[in-house]
């Protein structure tokens, strides 16, 4: 597999696993209004006369310039990765059912030829909660299966995932507060051993402000977060086992009239590292 494609797939897959997505679809973002599409470019930072300015364009963590397209329901229907110079390298397309669940994903080469596909089938309970999903490869064979359980408030309390032969691969167990915020997540392997735990705290607006990490019941470290009035994260701090600060990131934003950021300056340990710029198109 080519290095760039491997990076894209690993990032997309990580997002899908963390957020319990049925297929490889990036996490939905904090977008305002009816966004039709946006393009995103990354630049180095320059400091002139005490001011941070945009420098030359650089490659971001995806390895590409990104363009995302959405339908009028806010579902992402297309993800495009461009090489520097605007030539298309890879494209993903997505289709959804009436419940907003992604039922099909196709990915294409730069010349438009189909590179691969994946389809999904779902089962729902009487309350419309997704309780089972089956993932199929392009040849029609089952690649994996997920099952879910919910509490009386519709919060997902259990997620089990199975291999193609039906054997259990692992599961997550979730706990919630009275506001429906997920406050604890436990990870179990195929034999039922609880090997990792995450706990969360939130502010009055429901923004996650703290995450504590445990490995084999041992405290591993924590992270804290701060947000602006638009709900975008403006600070991340990560702490080591001994409580010392190991990494700090801060973010400064410029917004359009609808409240979506069009410029994001990223600082690491108070040093400006790069600038991201977005250009949006909206449904009328």
């Amino acid at each position: 597999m080519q290095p760039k494609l491997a990076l894209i797939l690993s990032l997309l897959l990580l997002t899908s696993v963390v957020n319990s997505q049925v297929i490889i679809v990036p996490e939905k973002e904090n977008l305002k209004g009816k966004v039709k599409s946006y393009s995103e470019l990354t630049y180095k930072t320059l400091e002139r006369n005490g001011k941070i300015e945009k420098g030359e364009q650089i490659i971001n963590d995806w390895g590409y310039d990104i363009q995302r397209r959405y339908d009028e329901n806010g579902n992402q229907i297309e993800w495009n990765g461009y090489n520097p110079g605007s030539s298309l390298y890879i494209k993903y397309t997505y289709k959804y059912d009436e419940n907003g669940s992604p039922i099909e994903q196709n990915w294409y080469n730069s010349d438009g030829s189909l590179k691969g596909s994946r389809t999904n089938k779902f089962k729902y309970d009487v309350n419309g909660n997704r309780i089972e999903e089956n993932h199929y490869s392009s040849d029609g064979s089952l690649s994996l299966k997920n099952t879910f359980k919910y509490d009386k408030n519709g919060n997902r309390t259990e997620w089990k995932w199975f291999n193609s032969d039906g054997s259990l691969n692992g599961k997550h167990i979730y706990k919630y507060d009275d506001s429906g915020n997920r406050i604890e997540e436990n990870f179990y392997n195929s034999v039922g051993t609880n090997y990792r735990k995450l706990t969360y705290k939130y502010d009055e607006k429901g923004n996650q402000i703290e995450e504590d990490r445990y490995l084999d019941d041992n405290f591993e470290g924590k992270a804290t977060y701060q947000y602006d009035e638009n709900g975008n994260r403006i600070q991340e701090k990560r702490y080591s086992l001994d409580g010392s600060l190991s990494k700090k990131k801060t973010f400064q934003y410029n917004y359009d009239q609808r409240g979506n950021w069009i410029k994001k300056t990223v600082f690491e340990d108070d040093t400006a590292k790069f600038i991201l710029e977005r250009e949006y198109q909206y449904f009328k």
Side-chain angles (χ1 to χ4, degrees):
M1 183 179 291
Q2 298 181 46
K4 284 186 175 181
L5 180 57
L7 176 61
I8 287 179
L9 291 175
S10 63
L11 287 168
L12 287 167
L13 182 58
L14 176 61
T15 303
S16 70
V17 169
V18 170
N19 295 284
S20 306
Q21 299 289 335
V22 264
I23 58 174
I24 307 173
V25 178
E27 181 183 4
K28 287 190 175 181
E29 301 179 84
N30 182 31
L31 299 177
K32 307 294 194 302
K34 297 182 75 66
V35 174
K36 186 175 184 179
S37 68
Y38 75 77
S39 300
E40 182 178 297
L41 301 178
T42 307
Y43 301 88
K44 286 183 178 180
T45 56
L46 297 175
E47 186 171 348
R48 290 193 179 98
N49 301 320
K51 294 183 178 180
I52 304 301
E53 298 181 1
K54 181 175 69 176
E56 65 178 338
Q57 186 181 347
I58 59 175
I59 298 299
N60 60 18
D61 289 341
W62 292 98
Y64 297 97
D65 300 334
I66 302 302
Q67 182 192 58
R68 292 175 174 170
R69 296 183 182 274
Y70 302 85
D71 62 20
E72 294 197 63
N73 295 316
N75 297 312
Q76 181 177 298
I77 57 173
E78 195 172 298
W79 187 101
N80 296 303
Y82 291 88
N83 291 311
S86 299
S87 62
L88 181 68
Y89 180 75
I90 193 167
K91 171 187 285 190
Y92 291 84
T93 61
Y94 310 94
K95 294 181 180 179
Y96 300 82
D97 65 13
E98 63 276 8
N99 296 295
S101 298
I103 57 174
E104 183 179 317
Q105 177 192 18
N106 297 291
W107 53 98
Y108 301 86
N109 297 303
S110 58
D111 61 1
S113 59
L114 182 67
K115 189 176 184 69
S117 64
R118 187 175 180 180
T119 57
N120 307 277
K121 293 183 179 180
F122 310 98
K123 293 182 181 179
Y124 300 89
D125 63 19
V126 293
N127 297 312
N129 297 310
R130 188 189 306 157
I131 57 174
E132 183 177 312
E133 51 189 48
N134 294 280
H135 304 245
Y136 298 89
S137 301
S138 55
D139 62 1
S141 62
L142 180 68
S143 58
L144 64 93
K145 173 182 176 180
N146 295 321
T147 62
F148 307 99
K149 292 182 180 180
Y150 300 83
D151 63 20
K152 62 181 181 180
N153 297 314
N155 297 310
R156 183 175 291 176
T157 57
E158 180 185 272
W159 168 29
K160 288 183 178 180
W161 60 98
F162 300 84
N163 299 309
S164 58
D165 62 1
S167 59
L168 180 67
N169 190 308
K171 71 176 181 179
H172 287 193
I173 299 294
Y174 309 104
K175 296 181 181 180
Y176 299 84
D177 63 19
D178 292 337
S179 298
N181 297 310
R182 184 176 292 173
I183 57 173
E184 186 173 309
E185 182 172 0
N186 289 279
F187 299 68
Y188 296 83
N189 60 21
S190 59
V191 297
T193 302
N194 184 357
Y195 64 91
R196 178 175 289 278
K197 181 173 77 171
L198 302 175
T199 62
Y200 310 102
K201 294 180 181 179
Y202 300 84
D203 63 19
E204 64 279 0
K205 294 181 178 180
N207 296 311
Q208 182 187 318
I209 57 173
E210 185 174 317
E211 174 187 294
D212 292 346
R213 304 182 302 276
Y214 299 83
L215 184 63
D216 297 327
D217 288 329
N218 298 310
F219 182 69
E220 192 179 27
K222 75 174 184 178
T224 61
Y225 309 102
Q226 293 181 13
Y227 301 82
D228 65 14
E229 63 276 6
N230 292 299
N232 289 308
R233 190 171 289 175
I234 58 173
Q235 186 184 89
E236 297 179 6
K237 289 184 177 180
R238 297 195 175 272
Y239 297 87
S240 301
L241 182 62
D242 61 3
S244 61
L245 182 65
S246 61
K247 182 179 292 187
K248 175 185 174 183
K249 282 188 175 183
T250 54
F251 312 95
Q252 293 180 357
Y253 300 92
N254 295 86
Y255 294 93
D256 66 11
Q257 293 182 343
R258 290 176 172 84
N260 290 312
W261 66 262
I262 54 177
K263 180 180 179 182
K264 178 180 179 180
T265 305
V266 180
F267 297 80
E268 294 181 3
D269 298 322
D270 298 320
T271 300
K273 289 296 185 180
F274 53 92
I275 292 173
L276 295 90
E277 290 188 344
R278 287 182 176 179
E279 183 175 339
Y280 297 87
Q281 290 186 339
Y282 295 90
F283 288 102
K284 296 181 179 180

